[in-house]
Amino acid sequence: MHSPSCRAPWRAVLFTALAPALIAAPALADAQSASRVATTGAAATPLPKGPRAMMLGDWYRVVNVSSPAVSPDGKRVAMTVTKAVEGENRRHSEVWVVNTAGGEPQRWTSPNAESSNPRWSPDGKYLFFSSQRAGGKGNSWAIRLDQPSGEAVQVETYPSGSMPADGSFAVFTDAATPAPQVPAGDPFAQQQPMARPPFDAITRPAMPTRFDGRHVVDMTYKNNGTGFVPGRRTARAWRPQQLFRQAVGDTAKKQLTTVAYSHRSPVVSPDGRWIAFIADVRLRADSMVDMERDSLAKLPYDKVRDEAERNDADIYVIDANGGTPRKVAEWMGAESDLTWSPDGKQLAFIGRPARTKSARVYTVDVAGGQPRNLLGDWQFEPSAIDWLKTGLQFSADIGGRSAVLKADLTGKNAPKELVGGRRQIRGTSYDASGKVMAFVATSMTKPTELFVANGDGTGERKLTGFNDTVNADVVWSDAERFTYKSVGNLEIEAWLMKPYNYEAGKTYPMVIYIHGGPHSAYGEGWFDEFQNLAAQGMFVLFTNPRGSSGYGADFTYSTRGRWGMEDYEDLMKAVDIVAARPDVDSTRMGATGGSYGGFMTTWIATKTDRFKAIETDRTITDWTYWYGASDAQGLTEFEFYGKPWDNQALYDTLSPIRYVRKVKTPMLIVQSEEDHRTPMGSAEIWFMSLKKQGVPVELVRYPRSNHDLSRSGEPWLLVDRLGRLRQWFGYWLLGQKVGAAAN
């Protein structure tokens, strides 16, 4: 299910881009220091040295580190390093490598290529990475390490997939049949893809060469980030994912299965004898499963049927050479992240017993039996697992922070935290022995960097300093964490970030940020948006009201059917607490948020006039309109207990537009022209309604941008938006002149 969401704030500068080019091998790579990456792409105007407040141009200087991968011998860590190239309005990604013993990181891929997602071959002979390159097939490329090497190459004899401990072969899934093709002589071949009549269409263009519109018959005709999706031109067909096996050093791919159902997430046992995978609970054909789902989707909401727990898939094992699969266990819920124990006798997985229940880590004997819950009633939820020789370790968000923990294999004791603290940790990777662990971490005042530790979390060291230069110039604001009791005595986590150059005895304006989702969360990571306003001399309040992730499923799904109710009270109680502080000017408060936060900011405007200014991003003001225009109908079908006509009163009751006549607060509306998640119509009707009522309002529409503008949009537009937030709140809360504070 897709939902209006704001990813974790530390990912706010997550950069992704691909372009064809050549590559230099590690033997020829420049021994460039991290500081050189940090200065790629000259800024439009030189920025002053620090220490000083963040300026808009500093956004281009922040480097993002992601996707760490430890080499099998534990001596190196590869990573993706991404930087905005300001002069070209784009992002650029490269693969860098650093020794775990320390030293300067080195760039291993060409500055003329977009390269990311590094991964080592089990034998250490290759470093694979993803890149789209002219003349290549697919996007997997490799640098050879066991002999002198020139440019990166594609290695057809080195398969990609799950491998046994000896790395002798790989298992993967693929469709065994080719996709159906439109017959030759298609009279609509010269039209644009969206203009061509889909297979099931009744109408046809009078003259194909004269119609350049969009012809739609399927609901899934658009998708945020992708844009419009052409309908299929052939009869509906199913291509179930089969198991394949390929030996290292051979290009031949052996098909192991020929069935009507798909195999998902296959993993090979350490000894190479067995393959575990996830498949339909009754091994029904993909066509049958899809048609059943399609039929159910057309029915009116029914509490008994739609709220009943479902078991759609289970775990199976099959001989690594093929044969008849055997179900390991009949387990109610959804399984993922299959992992073998080092001795090959057990499987671990992350299981969610039901959609609204917390995920747990389970183990089960491969021979069969009942899965064992290793986390008991522990409040938090796992996000990734690794079964090392020393034990089973996993990552988890613990409220606004994250950690790496070790599970008790008996399930009797709570997990032991190995790496944590007030920060966010992502992308944990281990060497073959499990003795070296690498991860990316960020804290409130530090952008992402790479860290390494022993497998048990001891001996932690920071290996990179890509952001040292910008950190030396900019004084990033820190935040005070606090918790408070809200409706129903529920504890809520929050943070208050101090303004730049804070002085005791003075008062400052405050802006509350409201995240998206609603099941996203703020936390202990560097976030450009918070720093942007704090640099202007404002307090920034951010909190995780009920509905946020990171606190267990009961907390996350407590807002079903009640958006804008208790979650609104959670937010206002945080505002009450902060407004009572002697250093906060309660007469100069603002609010901002995007997606669900955009809905909530418009909702707030109909409920109270305590805020002097509001900015709403990717807003939703009419849920019935949203249902018809968005690409994510499943969100409200679940959250609002049915389609609009099943529960029209709720859709209307929770639509801010129904109460727009109450709005008095000046509002800035930011919306993207190609946002298919929260489409433009909500912003347009809100703008027109406020304008007709004489409420100060501005609408800024960003071209070539989708729902992710504030996270991965064009750099120039993203920074322009940050500047407008400075100006809007600067004008209303700081009394600055029109157009001021946009540096």
Side-chain angles (χ1 to χ4, degrees):
M1 180 193 72
H2 298 287
S3 64
S5 65
C6 172
R7 297 177 215 166
W10 79 280
R11 296 181 184 174
V13 286
L14 178 62
F15 307 135
T16 56
L18 292 173
L22 297 176
I23 183 170
L28 303 177
D30 298 342
Q32 297 183 353
S33 67
S35 61
R36 178 168 175 179
V37 172
T39 58
T40 300
T45 303
L47 297 172
K49 293 293 183 181
R52 55 171 174 77
M54 174 192 175
M55 301 177 70
L56 291 181
D58 290 312
W59 184 90
Y60 298 102
R61 304 170 64 198
V62 176
V63 177
N64 190 67
V65 183
S66 62
S67 306
V70 183
S71 62
D73 61 9
K75 294 181 179 180
R76 292 167 167 167
V77 184
M79 73 206 91
T80 303
V81 176
T82 309
K83 179 69 172 65
V85 184
E86 181 179 0
E88 301 176 16
N89 188 29
R90 67 181 180 89
R91 297 169 178 83
H92 175 63
S93 295
E94 299 169 347
V95 172
W96 284 60
V97 177
V98 64
N99 294 330
T100 54
E104 286 290 319
Q106 292 184 322
R107 177 180 56 78
W108 276 29
T109 59
S110 170
N112 299 318
E114 300 297 333
S115 306
S116 61
N117 190 31
R119 60 266 184 204
W120 305 85
S121 63
D123 57 13
K125 292 182 179 180
Y126 294 96
L127 176 64
F128 289 91
F129 59 94
S130 299
S131 185
Q132 295 286 359
R133 297 167 182 274
K137 182 180 180 181
N139 68 347
S140 182
W141 294 78
I143 299 170
R144 184 144 194 174
L145 307 177
D146 63 340
Q147 62 184 38
S149 176
E151 295 179 356
V153 295
Q154 293 190 299
V155 188
E156 293 187 17
T157 58
Y158 211 106
S160 176
S162 176
M163 292 184 169
D166 64 6
S168 57
F169 66 91
V171 169
F172 53 93
T173 59
D174 198 0
T177 57
Q181 300 295 316
V182 177
D186 175 24
F188 311 108
Q190 300 304 312
Q191 290 183 280
Q192 293 295 321
M194 279 299 299
R196 297 167 185 159
F199 178 80
D200 294 329
I202 295 172
T203 67
R204 297 289 187 272
M207 293 187 67
T209 57
R210 295 183 178 181
F211 176 70
D212 58 355
R214 299 185 178 104
H215 193 165
V216 175
V217 298
D218 296 319
M219 287 187 294
T220 55
Y221 70 94
K222 58 184 177 180
N223 182 55
N224 184 66
T226 303
F228 289 98
V229 180
R232 55 185 173 81
R233 303 290 321 291
T234 60
R236 189 176 184 182
W238 285 265
R239 303 170 65 217
Q241 295 291 299
Q242 308 296 336
L243 292 175
F244 286 80
R245 173 173 173 164
Q246 181 181 347
V248 172
D250 191 355
T251 58
K253 300 175 183 178
K254 177 184 178 183
Q255 184 174 339
L256 302 180
T257 58
T258 307
V259 291
Y261 61 86
S262 284
H263 307 74
R264 302 195 299 274
S265 308
V267 285
V268 182
S269 60
D271 62 8
R273 294 180 56 197
W274 303 97
I275 302 168
F277 62 91
I278 298 170
D280 178 72
V281 64
R282 296 194 297 277
L283 298 182
R284 295 173 298 169
D286 287 1
S287 57
M288 182 180 297
V289 173
D290 286 351
M291 286 188 284
E292 178 187 74
R293 184 187 62 244
D294 294 347
S295 297
L296 289 173
K298 297 176 182 178
L299 298 175
Y301 171 77
D302 180 88
K303 181 176 177 60
V304 175
R305 181 194 66 235
D306 295 333
E307 298 297 317
E309 295 183 358
R310 296 177 59 89
N311 185 31
D312 293 327
D314 276 321
I315 299 171
Y316 298 82
V317 293
I318 190 173
D319 188 282
N321 291 303
T324 302
R326 173 179 58 83
K327 183 179 291 191
V328 175
E330 186 89 15
W331 186 80
M332 179 66 73
E335 302 93 333
S336 65
D337 293 70
L338 277 181
T339 306
W340 287 88
S341 63
D343 63 8
K345 295 181 179 180
Q346 298 181 78
L347 284 163
F349 63 94
I350 293 178
R352 186 175 293 277
R355 185 170 182 174
T356 58
K357 292 184 178 180
S358 290
R360 309 282 82 183
V361 175
Y362 293 86
T363 59
V364 62
D365 293 336
V366 176
Q370 186 65 28
R372 296 173 291 279
N373 176 1
L374 302 188
L375 301 186
D377 58 359
W378 191 61
Q379 178 183 356
F380 307 104
E381 300 182 84
S383 56
I385 55 177
D386 293 277
W387 203 330
L388 312 175
K389 295 177 181 178
T390 54
L392 197 156
Q393 297 182 186
F394 66 97
S395 302
D397 288 331
I398 302 176
R401 68 184 187 91
S402 55
V404 177
L405 306 100
K406 185 172 184 178
D408 175 20
L409 290 175
T410 69
K412 297 179 180 179
N413 301 306
K416 177 184 177 183
E417 188 168 317
L418 304 179
V419 176
R422 281 195 59 182
R423 56 181 174 172
Q424 293 186 325
I425 296 168
R426 293 292 186 270
T428 307
S429 175
Y430 299 88
D431 70 337
S433 68
K435 295 180 179 179
V436 177
M437 170 173 53
F439 55 89
V440 169
T442 174
S443 62
M444 203 70 71
T445 60
K446 293 292 187 296
T448 53
E449 298 289 358
L450 178 72
F451 293 77
V452 69
N454 297 323
D456 62 1
T458 61
E460 180 182 318
R461 307 182 309 282
K462 184 166 78 79
L463 290 185
T464 63
F466 290 110
N467 290 294
D468 286 353
T469 302
V470 67
N471 290 342
D473 286 338
V474 179
V475 179
W476 304 118
S477 295
D478 204 349
E480 171 189 342
R481 177 187 177 274
F482 65 98
T483 61
Y484 58 96
K485 298 289 185 174
S486 188
V487 180
N489 206 36
L490 196 64
E491 184 174 63
I492 308 296
E493 187 176 27
W495 296 261
L496 182 64
M497 179 173 285
K498 288 186 176 181
Y500 169 75
N501 210 22
Y502 171 86
E503 294 182 29
K506 290 187 176 182
T507 59
Y508 300 87
M510 182 275 289
V511 175
I512 181 173
Y513 256 88
I514 306 170
H515 67 62
H519 309 313
S520 184
Y522 288 140
E524 300 280 1
W526 183 90
F527 192 24
D528 55 352
E529 299 217 26
F530 299 162
Q531 298 292 341
N532 180 52
L533 291 186
Q536 292 301 107
M538 307 175 198
F539 276 107
V540 177
L541 170 65
F542 49 106
T543 181
N544 287 335
R546 69 193 70 203
S548 304
S549 61
Y551 305 88
D554 289 345
F555 188 97
T556 299
Y557 294 106
S558 61
T559 53
R560 283 189 72 195
R562 303 191 62 81
W563 289 24
M565 299 182 192
E566 291 84 1
D567 48 351
Y568 168 79
E569 296 295 335
D570 295 343
L571 294 165
M572 292 304 102
K573 284 184 179 295
V575 173
D576 291 341
I577 292 170
V578 170
R581 289 174 56 121
D583 52 0
V584 172
D585 185 345
S586 61
T587 68
R588 294 186 294 156
M589 297 193 301
T592 181
S595 199
Y596 162 82
F599 152 74
M600 184 58 77
T601 47
T602 51
W603 183 258
I604 285 173
T606 71
K607 303 276 284 184
T608 179
D609 59 1
R610 72 188 303 181
F611 297 101
K612 196 167 184 179
I614 291 176
E615 186 271 345
T616 187
D617 231 282
R618 297 160 283 160
T619 193
I620 304 166
T621 58
D622 186 323
W623 284 110
T624 300
Y625 158 77
W626 177 88
Y627 184 87
S630 174
D631 67 346
Q633 287 75 20
L635 173 68
T636 53
E637 288 178 357
F638 173 71
E639 293 284 343
F640 295 174
Y641 299 100
K643 307 170 186 70
W645 50 92
D646 296 328
N647 204 353
Q648 190 66 62
L650 183 61
Y651 275 75
D652 289 343
T653 300
L654 298 185
S655 292
I657 195 63
R658 301 293 182 266
Y659 319 102
V660 70
R661 69 185 62 172
K662 299 180 180 181
V663 177
K664 306 297 181 185
T665 307
M667 296 192 70
L668 171 65
I669 306 169
V670 171
Q671 208 82 1
S672 295
E673 298 284 1
E674 298 175 14
D675 186 344
H676 294 307
R677 188 64 43 82
T678 54
M680 183 66 72
S682 276
E684 290 178 319
I685 192 171
W686 196 253
F687 171 79
M688 192 60 65
S689 299
L690 296 194
K691 204 69 180 174
K692 288 283 186 179
Q693 296 179 152
V695 178
V697 60
E698 293 185 16
L699 170 60
V700 180
R701 303 170 62 130
Y702 283 99
R704 304 177 305 280
S705 303
N706 57 43
H707 194 68
D708 302 316
L709 166 66
S710 64
R711 300 179 286 271
S712 58
E714 291 181 14
W716 292 352
L717 299 183
L718 186 156
V719 172
D720 180 88
R721 174 185 167 276
L722 292 177
R724 291 178 191 269
L725 266 71
R726 288 186 173 211
Q727 294 173 50
W728 187 252
F729 289 117
Y731 177 84
W732 292 105
L733 305 186
L734 295 172
Q736 294 173 344
K737 295 181 179 180
V738 173
N743 58 354

